[in-house]
Amino acid sequence: MRKLRLAPDENGAPLYARVKANVLARITGGDWPPGTALPAEMELARELGVSQGTVRKALDALTAEQVVVRRQGSGTYVAEHTPAHMLFRFFNIYDESGAQVLPDSEPARVSTGEATATERRRLELEAGARVIRISRIRTRAGRAFMDDRIVLPEALFPGLDQEAEVPNTLYDLFQKRYGIHVARTEEQVTAVAATARLAERLDVKPGTPLLAIDRVTYDLSGRRIEWRLSHAHLERAHYFARL
Amino acid sequence: MRKLRLAPDENGAPLYARVKANVLARITGGDWPPGTALPAEMELARELGVSQGTVRKALDALTAEQVVVRRQGSGTYVAEHTPAHMLFRFFNIYDESGAQVLPDSEPARVSTGEATATERRRLELEAGARVIRISRIRTRAGRAFMDDRIVLPEALFPGLDQEAEVPNTLYDLFQKRYGIHVARTEEQVTAVAATARLAERLDVKPGTPLLAIDRVTYDLSGRRIEWRLSHAHLERAHYFARL
DNA sequence: GAGTGGTCTAGACCACCCT
DNA sequence: GGGTGGTCTAGACCACTCT
């Protein structure tokens, strides 16, 4: 019987799944920061006592989930999430020519407080948990077009409210400063009439139809790490989804 | 040199890609209708003169694209698109509890005519091409909530305008009657104010914010087979997207 | 040229389904 | 019990990258 440096739980899970979990743990644990080259497949296979094919299957899965990037002839690297890349990946607004809208962000207001019932529900927090709230306007060609209200569990992002400035893309800050890797988002989209507050912030008439985007963001281990409510006034632009 | 009954084009494309193309062609060509069991992996491998592992990789890809379904111990089957399944897969509206909304459909109006410039652009049709236009209301719990205007190239769906009744789910009709397999959709979502026409059809006040969903549907070979413009009045429901 | 990922093969054993 | 897909191994050759 070979000894494995994998999950001690030998029941059920196939080998490649345990290899995948092992590699993922070392990435999220910070052993291999973004941009690092992983050991070669053969070396990982030797280290873990499995065949190269099994390592390959695990790395294929991590590649599909965009945790890792493979470069033929060079190596396998922990996916690097540059600010531009993160915007590109999670900002779903496109203009009429099909090009992605790349928004700017105005200085934000940041505060902290005890989570409301709605915030606790959306972020699956315990009663009494505290949150960081960020409010900002996004602009496009110099004009306000999107109002963001972002809520984060304070326990996951201690000190974030002390930042001098909130960057245009929060998600790479999450990764670089807090080691929290954004994995996926779920968005609920509806059409709403502009309230007085939104009308003023987006410079439209009250009652103007706006797109409301309610987003929950998950990290690689499945934790809810952000709740974001955006209201957008889209002129010659649209929300895009592929199914 | 082994002789392959695969694509004669030997350059570039890996073997498994040619196996995949071969199997896909036999499915879309009607040799294996939906629900049919494919030959076993070993048998396909023998027939095509490749190893089982290569066939497996091809079938894995077709499984990921939902062209085929695998049942351990039983076999690999051409994906069967029941009406309920098609609704489930391509209808993106969910209620507040997270359950998918399953709409009903009222009798539709069907007509044909020469494609307008917009219709030609969205469906990539030649000048002079003819289209079938379907207009219908979808209901939810007995109340109108969505107005659909559907445009199809007549060349792909001859005689569809003569149907006695338009089914609630068109997509499985496409597959069963015309052998056209829906592969994916692209949707552009915006918020608009209800026009007089939409207000009357959806029983809301003019100016009410509606969700406008502009969808182009592609078949397995990448052809555009449908353009659909839906306007929805969503109460306690939302459009859902996972990214 | 050495090292990496990408493809392909051949064969083994297992878990599961069907009859 | 026989057939199927699911997993795993070992080894080969290729295409690419780096230096």
Side-chain angles (χ1 to χ4, degrees):
Chain A
M1 180 66 85
R2 199 191 299 103
K3 229 179 70 225
L4 295 177
R5 278 193 256 170
L6 293 170
D9 161 24
E10 291 265 347
N11 55 347
L15 246 193
Y16 70 81
R18 280 181 284 156
V19 171
K20 181 186 159 192
N22 178 297
V23 171
L24 188 56
R26 287 201 262 182
I27 291 173
T28 58
D31 297 8
W32 295 325
T36 316
L38 266 55
E41 293 179 354
M42 282 305 296
E43 193 177 327
L44 266 177
R46 236 181 301 116
E47 182 199 339
L48 298 172
V50 303
S51 78
Q52 188 201 9
T54 301
V55 171
R56 167 166 292 272
K57 188 154 184 178
L59 293 183
D60 279 349
L62 290 173
T63 302
E65 292 171 25
Q66 308 202 49
V67 176
V68 120
V69 174
R70 322 188 78 151
R71 289 203 267 275
Q72 180 172 170
S74 170
T76 304
Y77 300 82
V78 180
E80 198 141 24
H81 294 302
T82 65
H85 183 81
M86 283 312 239
L87 248 189
F88 186 76
R89 193 166 156 209
F90 291 107
F91 197 76
N92 275 350
I93 310 292
Y94 291 72
D95 68 21
E96 54 196 340
S97 74
Q100 197 164 21
V101 171
L102 296 180
D104 293 317
S105 148
E106 291 196 352
R109 280 192 308 109
V110 182
S111 62
T112 65
E114 191 168 318
T116 66
T118 305
E119 289 166 344
R120 286 208 311 275
R121 186 168 42 79
R122 299 297 276 148
L123 288 170
E124 291 186 338
L125 295 174
E126 309 276 316
R130 293 185 65 80
V131 293
I132 301 169
R133 299 194 185 89
I134 302 173
S135 171
R136 73 166 165 205
I137 296 277
R138 282 189 181 278
T139 59
R140 175 188 175 208
R143 292 181 55 189
F145 82 104
M146 187 184 249
D147 174 82
D148 279 358
R149 299 216 280 185
I150 301 169
V151 182
L152 311 167
E154 193 174 37
L156 292 180
F157 301 101
L160 182 62
D161 55 310
Q162 310 295 338
E163 288 290 323
E165 204 173 326
V166 173
N168 189 18
T169 61
L170 278 171
Y171 290 176
D172 66 321
L173 178 74
F174 291 177
Q175 187 187 64
K176 290 196 175 59
R177 173 109 72 228
Y178 296 97
I180 291 179
H181 295 61
V182 172
R184 65 176 219 280
T185 62
E186 289 181 356
E187 301 192 331
Q188 302 181 355
V189 181
T190 51
V192 300
T195 60
R197 172 184 167 277
L198 286 168
E200 195 252 317
R201 284 170 73 85
L202 297 177
D203 194 22
V204 297
K205 288 202 192 101
T208 301
L210 302 178
L211 209 60
I213 306 171
D214 179 314
R215 169 194 288 186
V216 174
T217 304
Y218 298 81
D219 76 356
L220 276 180
S221 46
R223 287 182 303 187
R224 302 185 179 210
I225 60 173
E226 182 199 70
W227 174 43
R228 178 182 295 216
L229 190 52
S230 303
H231 289 88
H233 180 233
L234 299 178
E235 293 172 299
R236 293 182 301 286
H238 55 263
Y239 182 93
F240 181 81
R242 194 186 296 259
L243 186 57
Chain B
M1 181 66 83
R2 198 192 302 103
K3 229 179 70 223
L4 295 177
R5 278 193 256 168
L6 294 170
D9 162 23
E10 291 265 349
N11 56 347
L15 245 194
Y16 69 82
R18 282 181 281 155
V19 171
K20 181 186 159 191
N22 177 298
V23 171
L24 187 57
R26 288 200 260 180
I27 291 174
T28 57
D31 298 6
W32 295 326
T36 315
L38 265 58
E41 294 180 353
M42 283 306 295
E43 193 177 327
L44 265 177
R46 237 181 300 116
E47 182 199 339
L48 297 172
V50 302
S51 78
Q52 187 202 9
T54 301
V55 170
R56 167 167 290 271
K57 188 154 184 179
L59 293 183
D60 279 348
L62 291 173
T63 302
E65 293 170 24
Q66 309 202 46
V67 175
V68 118
V69 174
R70 323 189 76 152
R71 291 197 216 116
Q72 181 172 168
S74 169
T76 304
Y77 300 82
V78 180
E80 199 141 23
H81 294 302
T82 64
H85 183 82
M86 283 314 239
L87 247 190
F88 186 76
R89 191 164 157 210
F90 291 108
F91 197 76
N92 274 349
I93 311 291
Y94 291 73
D95 69 20
E96 54 196 341
S97 75
Q100 197 163 20
V101 172
L102 296 179
D104 293 317
S105 149
E106 290 197 352
R109 280 194 307 109
V110 182
S111 62
T112 66
E114 191 168 317
T116 66
T118 304
E119 287 167 345
R120 286 208 310 274
R121 184 167 44 78
R122 300 297 276 147
L123 288 170
E124 291 185 337
L125 296 175
E126 311 276 317
R130 293 184 65 79
V131 292
I132 301 169
R133 299 194 186 90
I134 302 173
S135 172
R136 74 165 164 205
I137 296 276
R138 281 188 181 280
T139 59
R140 175 186 175 211
R143 293 182 56 190
F145 81 105
M146 187 184 248
D147 174 82
D148 278 358
R149 299 216 280 185
I150 301 169
V151 182
L152 310 168
E154 193 175 36
L156 292 181
F157 302 100
L160 182 62
D161 54 313
Q162 309 296 338
E163 289 289 325
E165 203 173 326
V166 174
N168 190 16
T169 61
L170 279 170
Y171 291 176
D172 67 320
L173 178 73
F174 292 177
Q175 185 187 65
K176 291 197 174 57
R177 175 107 73 228
Y178 297 97
I180 291 178
H181 295 61
V182 172
R184 65 175 218 279
T185 61
E186 288 181 358
E187 301 193 330
Q188 303 181 356
V189 181
T190 52
V192 300
T195 61
R197 172 185 167 276
L198 286 168
E200 194 253 318
R201 285 170 72 84
L202 296 177
D203 193 22
V204 297
K205 288 201 193 106
T208 302
L210 302 177
L211 210 60
I213 306 171
D214 178 315
R215 168 194 287 187
V216 174
T217 304
Y218 297 80
D219 77 356
L220 277 180
S221 46
R223 288 182 302 187
R224 301 186 179 210
I225 60 174
E226 181 199 71
W227 174 43
R228 178 182 295 216
L229 191 52
S230 303
H231 289 89
H233 180 232
L234 299 177
E235 294 172 300
R236 293 183 302 285
H238 55 264
Y239 181 93
F240 182 81
R242 193 185 297 260
L243 187 58

